[in-house]
Amino acid sequence: CQKWDIDTNKIIRAANLGYVRGNIPRPSPGVGGYCLQKDPYIFIHSASEKNYQPTLFNVARKINNKILVSVAKTIDQFLSSFSKKDKILLAGFAFKGNPETSDIRGSTTTSLVKRLLELGYKNIHGYDPVVPPREIRQTGARHVPLIEKGFNGARAVIIMNNHPSFEKLKIRKLLHKARKPVLLFDTWALFNAEEINKEEGVHYKRL
C-alpha cells in the first residue's frame, strides 16, 4: 500500500466500522511469539503428509516474513544518507505489547536487530517497558532505561509493538530530542499522522 500512498489503517477502520462480526486486525511488523511462528509450519507439514497443500498458510507466512524485510529496507534507505554510527532506537522488544508480556521469544524486534547489525549499524538502542534489560542487551542492542533517553539524538525511532504506554507518549515533545531529520517508523500506527506531520524534519512512516 505504500507504493500507492494508501493508508492501510484508514481502510481497516472503515471496513470494521459498524460491523460487529468482523474485526480486521491492523498491520504489524510480522508475526512473533513462540507459538505463532512455529504452529503454521507444523500444520503445513502435517497437511503435506495427507497430500494437502494449505496455500493460505504458506502465503501468510511468506508475507509476514517479507514485512520485516521491508521494515529493515525502509530504515536502511532512510539512513543511507547518514552515518552507520547514527543512533537507532527500537521501542518494544516483547513479541506483543497488548496484552503486556515480557516474552521476547520469536520477537520480530530481535530479528530486526540482527538484520540491522548485518547491514553494519552498530549504534542500536532498545527500550521496552517490561522486558528485562539483560535480555535486550543479549540481542545486540544497548538498553535504555527511559524512552526519553532513547529519543535523545536518535536519527531513527522504530515503534515495534503496541504496548499501551506507547500510545500515551507525548510524541511530538519527544521528537524534539531527536536528531533531525529523523525517521519515525510507527509500525502499529499508534500516533496521529496529521499531528506528527506538523513537525519539521520528521519523516513519518507506517506499514
Side-chain angles (χ1 to χ4, degrees):
C1 286
Q2 288 183 348
K3 182 177 180 181
W4 294 287
D5 197 26
I6 297 172
D7 189 333
T8 312
N9 293 276
K10 287 184 178 180
I11 295 172
I12 290 172
R13 281 197 298 270
N16 287 334
L17 185 64
Y19 190 64
V20 295
R21 289 180 294 169
N23 185 24
I24 302 172
R26 289 190 295 181
S28 71
V31 170
Y34 180 70
C35 297
L36 293 179
Q37 282 197 329
K38 67 177 177 60
D39 287 357
Y41 291 114
I42 293 173
F43 177 80
I44 291 167
H45 177 73
S46 299
S48 65
E49 291 183 335
K50 301 294 182 181
N51 297 317
Y52 172 67
Q53 295 298 324
T55 304
L56 181 60
F57 280 74
N58 278 301
V59 172
R61 288 306 302 140
K62 287 179 181 178
I63 290 173
N64 276 284
N65 289 335
K66 285 182 178 180
I67 289 175
L68 191 62
V69 174
S70 177
V71 170
K73 183 178 180 180
T74 298
I75 298 168
D76 187 43
Q77 286 178 337
F78 176 82
L79 293 176
S80 63
S81 299
F82 308 104
S83 170
K84 293 278 188 179
K85 296 179 181 179
D86 274 348
K87 182 179 180 180
I88 301 171
L89 172 65
L90 303 181
F93 272 68
F95 78 86
K96 64 179 177 180
N98 191 9
E100 180 183 82
T101 181
S102 61
D103 193 347
I104 67 169
R105 291 178 298 173
S107 165
T108 53
T109 311
T110 62
S111 297
L112 180 59
V113 172
K114 183 179 179 181
R115 286 183 177 275
L116 292 175
L117 288 172
E118 290 171 349
L119 289 169
Y121 297 101
K122 305 298 183 184
N123 196 11
I124 303 170
H125 296 245
Y127 170 81
D128 191 285
V130 290
V131 173
R134 175 178 55 84
E135 294 189 21
I136 291 177
R137 287 193 290 266
Q138 286 175 345
T139 68
R142 304 178 187 181
H143 172 257
V144 290
L146 298 172
I147 197 166
E148 291 81 3
K149 289 188 176 181
F151 271 81
N152 283 341
R155 180 73 78 181
V157 177
I158 321 301
I159 307 297
M160 287 296 291
N161 73 22
N162 60 339
H163 192 278
S165 66
F166 292 158
E167 295 186 79
K168 299 175 183 178
L169 294 174
K170 295 180 179 179
I171 191 64
R172 291 181 65 183
K173 185 177 180 180
L174 287 173
L175 286 168
H176 291 166
K177 298 175 177 290
R179 189 176 184 185
K180 307 294 179 59
V182 60
L183 169 67
L184 174 60
F185 200 156
D186 179 12
T187 68
W188 278 88
L190 301 180
F191 307 122
N192 185 308
E194 293 181 359
E195 286 298 309
I196 292 176
N197 286 331
K198 294 176 182 178
E199 293 290 329
E200 292 186 10
V202 177
H203 294 252
Y204 183 58
K205 294 287 186 182
R206 289 177 168 180
L207 289 174

